[in-house]
Amino acid sequence: MKYDSIIIGGGLSGLTAGIRLASAGKKVAIITSGQSALHFSSGSMSLLNRIDRQIVDDPLLAVGKLPSDHPYRKIGVGNIHDLAAEAAMLLRHSGLNVEGSPSAHRFCLTPFGLWEPVWLTVKGIASCPDPKKCPWKKAAIVNFKGYLDFHPAYLADGLAKAGIDSEIHEIELPRLASLRKSCSEMRAASIARLLEGSAINDLAAAILRVKSDADVILLPAVIGLRSDAAQELLASLIDIPVRYVPVIPMSVTGVRAESLLRRRFESLGGTYYLGDSVSRGNFENDRLTAIFTTNLGDTPLEADEFILATGSFFSQGLVAKPDAIVEPVFGLDVMQTPARTERYSLDFFSPQPYMRFGVVTDSEFRTSRNAVTVRNLRAIGSILFGADSLHEGSGAGIALLTAIAAARKILLT
């Protein structure tokens, strides 16, 4: 089977690249083993939050202060705004109703009551341009009886620090009674599957009974697994704003995002190989000519261009061996410290050197193998060398912007 481009990895970065290429009329395939980091997404995406542990005022201006080997610097400081605008538009066209600006943070209320700076937020997620200037005076924090992955007391504390009063309420819905028989069943995705249709009317009635004089309702983000229709229905039944707070994963918002992006990709003619993984590649000189997968065995998948979007350690795009960090699919060159003791800091909360490790690429994100550039194999997202997305708050931005940048380069070849 022959494609114009094959993307290995179906997370945010891989799906974004696939949509960008397919929308340009290319024949594209995505190969994904299944669950991606999107399933753990809070519903908000950051471009660049911090440098040297200090929150930056303007992410676009701060990009110029990053090291020269950072993925954003390879994109080019002057290109970040344009790519960020295209990324937001791509998400909206895929059905994700996001809001935000690349030059000014919004602040999202986290599951533990902290206010985290973000770039894009899915509409409905609890966020404000400035926590000290939120329009809310009093919040009704509403949880479901028996649901343990949501922590109202932490939220109340975080709201109080922002000068917002709150009351905590627990409601019981007959539709969820079956889930409470086992704590392993009372999880976000299970609740979301049941809170649809008439169950939303029951939920609205329960909220109206307890909301008192609150001017905002804060709910766990467990509504709307397939689309935001259930959230829109609830909003139409409640006379004050309803906002959703991320919960301990699995993330309903993240699962919905992945589903919407996949639907968009397939609607453009893309082929989605779910539950498969690449076992090896066939290289000729400085080009990758074909890949082989676990499910297809000896049947090759050929393409003119390939993109590696398998992620970092979390998704095993990078694997730590006793003597080295390796890229396990193709054996690509990985930038890392030579000594094992230099890979980490004993201070758990300090930036960890290994977080910046990743595959070596040139200015066009083309990878290298045995110090030879692979001219038609690009890497995108968190597998790239040069960023500590945990401390920078840059993970989603790098995933989106490098995906679009790489797709643009491919379309120019």
Side-chain angles (χ1 to χ4, degrees):
M1 287 173 275
K2 177 68 183 291
Y3 296 91
D4 294 320
S5 295
I6 292 176
I7 299 165
I8 305 159
L12 178 61
S13 199
L15 283 165
T16 299
I19 290 169
R20 182 65 177 84
L21 291 168
S23 65
K26 297 298 183 180
K27 184 180 180 183
V28 187
I30 291 177
I31 301 167
T32 176
S33 58
Q35 185 183 93
S36 75
L38 268 174
H39 286 212
F40 299 85
S41 168
S42 67
S44 296
M45 303 177 185
S46 296
L47 186 67
L48 177 63
N49 291 349
R50 297 175 178 86
I51 294 180
D52 296 331
R53 301 191 182 189
Q54 299 298 313
I55 294 179
V56 301
D57 293 325
D58 185 334
L60 292 179
L61 293 177
V63 166
K65 300 177 183 178
L66 293 168
S68 60
D69 54 11
H70 193 282
Y72 282 156
R73 296 295 300 274
K74 289 187 176 182
I75 289 173
V77 175
N79 297 321
I80 299 296
H81 182 275
D82 179 43
L83 288 170
E86 183 174 343
M89 188 63 67
L90 183 148
L91 294 173
R92 293 185 186 111
H93 285 168
S94 300
L96 279 167
N97 191 359
V98 294
E99 53 189 358
S101 166
S103 60
H105 297 300
R106 293 185 66 83
F107 287 81
C108 174
L109 188 59
T110 73
F112 296 102
L114 303 176
W115 294 90
E116 181 70 11
V118 297
W119 160 37
L120 295 174
T121 302
V122 176
K123 186 178 180 180
I125 295 294
S127 65
C128 292
D130 183 339
K132 297 293 186 181
K133 299 178 182 178
C134 269
W136 316 327
K137 301 302 179 185
K138 185 175 182 180
I141 305 172
V142 179
N143 194 19
F144 304 100
K145 183 178 180 180
Y147 184 50
L148 303 180
D149 292 339
F150 184 63
H151 303 285
Y154 290 145
L155 297 180
D157 183 61
L159 292 172
K161 291 176 180 177
I164 302 169
D165 294 330
S166 62
E167 291 183 351
I168 296 172
H169 304 277
E170 186 177 75
I171 60 175
E172 185 173 359
L173 298 179
R175 186 70 66 92
L176 303 182
S178 61
L179 299 181
R180 290 199 298 275
K181 294 178 181 179
S182 169
C183 61
S184 64
E185 295 297 323
M186 196 68 171
R187 309 306 295 269
S190 301
I191 294 171
R193 291 188 182 96
L194 296 179
L195 287 183
E196 294 185 338
S198 62
I200 298 299
N201 295 80
D202 296 338
L203 173 58
I207 291 173
L208 290 172
R209 285 194 294 268
V210 301
K211 76 178 184 69
S212 185
D213 58 344
D215 55 13
V216 65
I217 303 296
L218 296 181
L219 283 175
V222 296
I223 300 174
L225 189 61
R226 299 174 183 85
S227 72
D228 56 7
Q231 293 181 356
E232 291 177 354
L233 175 58
L234 182 62
S236 71
L237 298 171
I238 304 292
D239 58 354
I240 60 175
V242 179
R243 297 292 180 264
Y244 299 89
V245 179
V247 298
I248 295 173
M250 298 292 287
S251 165
V252 167
T253 309
V255 172
R256 182 170 75 244
E258 183 180 81
S259 177
L260 290 170
L261 290 169
R262 176 183 172 182
R263 273 183 255 166
R264 174 64 174 164
F265 172 67
E266 292 180 319
S267 74
L268 292 167
T271 302
Y272 194 79
Y273 290 90
L274 178 62
D276 203 357
S277 57
V278 176
S279 54
R280 59 190 174 92
N282 182 45
F283 289 86
E284 293 182 7
N285 299 320
D286 59 355
R287 295 184 67 84
L288 176 62
T289 59
I291 58 173
F292 298 85
T293 74
T294 302
N295 292 347
L296 295 177
D298 292 331
T299 301
L301 294 176
E302 300 176 331
D304 297 320
E305 299 284 343
F306 295 84
I307 296 178
L308 187 65
T310 47
S312 187
F313 297 99
F314 177 78
S315 55
Q316 297 188 331
L318 297 174
V319 175
K321 301 288 187 179
D323 56 345
I325 306 297
V326 301
E327 186 282 306
V329 179
F330 301 117
L332 300 176
D333 297 335
V334 175
M335 187 69 75
Q336 58 193 287
T337 56
R340 182 186 179 106
T341 54
E342 296 176 353
R343 298 179 193 169
Y344 59 87
S345 168
L346 291 176
D347 181 353
F348 181 80
F349 294 101
S350 292
Q352 297 293 330
Y354 70 84
M355 289 295 295
R356 299 186 75 247
F357 295 171
V359 297
V360 177
T361 63
D362 64 11
S363 60
E364 297 189 1
F365 296 106
R366 293 179 296 193
T367 60
S368 68
R369 188 169 177 261
N370 300 321
V372 176
T373 297
V374 184
R375 304 193 66 81
N376 66 334
L377 173 58
R378 288 174 167 83
I380 59 176
S382 60
I383 196 172
L384 293 168
F385 166 73
D388 183 344
S389 59
L390 180 64
H391 278 267
E392 294 171 359
S394 61
I398 291 172
L400 287 164
L401 271 57
T402 59
I404 295 174
R408 286 183 175 183
K409 295 293 185 182
I410 287 172
L411 293 172
L412 290 174
T413 58

